[in-house]
Amino acid sequence: MEYIYFEGRIVPEDQAKISIKTNSFHYGTAIFEGIRAYYDKENDRMWGLFFKEHYERLFQNMKVLNMEIEESIDQLVEITKELIRKNNIKDDIYIRPIVYFSDLKISPKLVGYKSRIAIYTYPLGDYIDINKGIKVIVSSWTRISDNMIPPRLKVAGSYVNSAFSKTEAILAGADEAIVLNKNGYVSEGSAENIFIIRDGKLITPPVSDDILEGITRNAIITIAKDLGYQVIERHITRTELYIADEIFFCGTGAQVSPVIEVDHRKIGNGKPGKITKEIQKVYFDAVRGKIEKYKHWVIPID
């Protein structure tokens, strides 16, 4: 039996139900997060990754949608730990908190409704291939902009944009998509931040290019700088992807995923690059609590 935190209580999954009339179900106004916890087999311990940072971002996103819930950030961290313990999880997992307007009313607005939160978990290994690398296309769909549906928000309705680009990529025989913003600059993947590497330097789009302000993105920037690499935040054009030495996606789900082909053009030698693999290794050691300088990123769940 799986347990879920639902509207103030940890309950069996079959008791965590919303009505078909739930307001956010109709208008896509739910705010969610994707959080990881990793199992360290050697020490028989679960490590929660960036729990507080994800809930801090959740609260920032809620503010934009005029949402408030009864639980505090610290309480949600403890609830999530308890949920993992109660489910007796010993595996790499994905955690999905979601805040929604629970009112059974018809009207697309962001005031006058009550917000509630649910949290559930499920096993998740690699969201996309992190070893041999993936093939991508540049999508024909344009990334939503801040004055439409802010990309910095993980709001349910905005992921229709992601679904269009991801589906286009799959139907074209690729694994993932890269989307451009309204100005024609590279924004991100369908649900991942992106880095390119040229002449030993990491380059990534700035937050003003309609990207999600990624927590994993911040971690990768820290790791890269600690390894001695220069990290530059600037516009990236489409054809610059083609001549990059290396490209990788990153995110809670994607982790660190090498890109080996863009629009049927090999990136580098068509294999995961040296710098990408170096960063990838450090990242996977860090999320399992194996690197002391990054221990503040994780919390033990005993």
Side-chain angles (χ1 to χ4, degrees):
M1 174 68 71
E2 182 179 349
Y3 291 90
I4 291 172
Y5 183 74
F6 181 71
E7 299 186 349
R9 298 184 302 136
I10 293 178
V11 299
E13 182 179 4
D14 60 6
Q15 295 180 27
K17 307 294 182 184
I18 62 170
S19 168
I20 192 68
K21 297 180 180 180
T22 301
N23 183 268
S24 282
F25 173 72
H26 290 267
Y27 301 112
T29 50
I31 288 288
F32 68 90
E33 274 296 327
I35 309 175
R36 284 264 196 177
Y38 290 88
Y39 180 53
D40 177 8
K41 292 181 181 178
E42 294 177 14
N43 299 298
D44 189 28
R45 169 174 282 180
M46 292 290 294
W47 292 96
L49 178 64
F50 294 126
F51 275 19
K52 188 168 185 178
E53 290 84 351
H54 279 286
Y55 283 120
E56 287 173 343
R57 186 171 67 181
L58 182 76
F59 272 64
Q60 290 172 0
N61 284 194
M62 286 163 47
K63 182 179 181 180
V64 180
L65 264 66
N66 292 317
M67 289 176 150
E68 292 184 359
I69 56 176
E70 297 175 358
E71 298 86 349
S72 69
I73 290 171
D74 288 341
Q75 286 174 329
L76 289 174
V77 169
E78 292 305 314
I79 288 166
T80 305
K81 290 165 63 176
E82 177 59 27
L83 190 62
I84 291 170
R85 285 192 288 261
K86 192 166 182 64
N87 281 320
N88 194 30
I89 297 171
K90 293 189 176 183
D91 198 358
D92 294 350
I93 60 166
Y94 192 78
I95 303 155
R96 170 55 52 85
I98 185 163
V99 179
Y100 52 95
F101 293 122
S102 59
D103 299 72
L104 310 184
K105 296 179 181 179
I106 300 293
S107 182
K109 62 178 184 176
L110 304 174
V111 292
Y113 292 147
K114 183 174 180 58
S115 306
R116 307 297 295 267
I117 186 169
I119 308 170
Y120 65 93
T121 68
Y122 60 89
L124 183 68
D126 298 335
Y127 175 71
I128 51 182
D129 197 318
I130 63 171
N131 295 312
K132 68 177 184 180
I134 60 173
K135 298 178 180 180
V136 307
I137 63 166
V138 175
S139 177
S140 65
W141 294 93
T142 301
R143 182 70 169 138
I144 50 176
S145 66
D146 191 70
N147 211 34
M148 297 166 61
I149 303 176
R152 64 165 38 88
L153 305 186
K154 290 185 73 69
V155 58
S158 72
Y159 279 77
V160 173
N161 185 242
S162 299
F164 276 136
S165 57
K166 175 85 171 188
T167 302
E168 180 182 32
I170 293 169
L171 293 177
D175 303 298
E176 253 296 349
I178 292 172
V179 287
L180 309 181
N181 65 17
K182 64 183 185 299
N183 297 316
Y185 294 120
V186 171
S187 182
E188 56 186 17
S190 71
E192 310 90 8
N193 290 127
I194 187 171
F195 285 81
I196 71 171
I197 299 171
R198 295 190 66 190
D199 301 321
K201 301 181 182 71
L202 277 73
I203 305 165
T204 192
V207 295
S208 55
D209 272 353
D210 297 323
I211 70 169
L212 176 72
E213 296 183 53
I215 293 168
T216 306
R217 175 182 179 272
N218 292 339
I220 296 303
I221 290 172
T222 298
I223 290 171
K225 288 180 177 179
D226 287 349
L227 290 171
Y229 295 109
Q230 184 179 355
V231 180
I232 303 167
E233 296 184 57
R234 65 160 173 82
H235 299 316
I236 298 172
T237 56
R238 178 176 184 165
T239 56
E240 194 172 12
L241 298 169
Y242 303 157
I243 61 173
D245 301 318
E246 302 178 35
I247 299 176
F248 64 87
F249 286 136
C250 72
T252 301
Q255 302 171 112
V256 181
S257 300
V259 174
I260 59 171
E261 182 180 295
V262 178
D263 289 344
H264 309 289
R265 295 163 174 86
K266 283 185 180 180
I267 302 305
N269 63 2
K271 297 179 181 179
K274 180 186 175 206
I275 296 174
T276 299
K277 289 192 289 186
E278 184 181 9
I279 291 171
Q280 189 183 62
K281 184 181 184 307
V282 174
Y283 179 78
F284 281 115
D285 284 343
V287 301
R288 287 184 167 83
K290 296 180 180 180
I291 301 180
E292 194 61 37
K293 70 162 67 172
Y294 303 130
K295 270 282 186 72
H296 61 285
W297 291 354
V298 295
I299 53 175
I301 303 169
D302 297 316

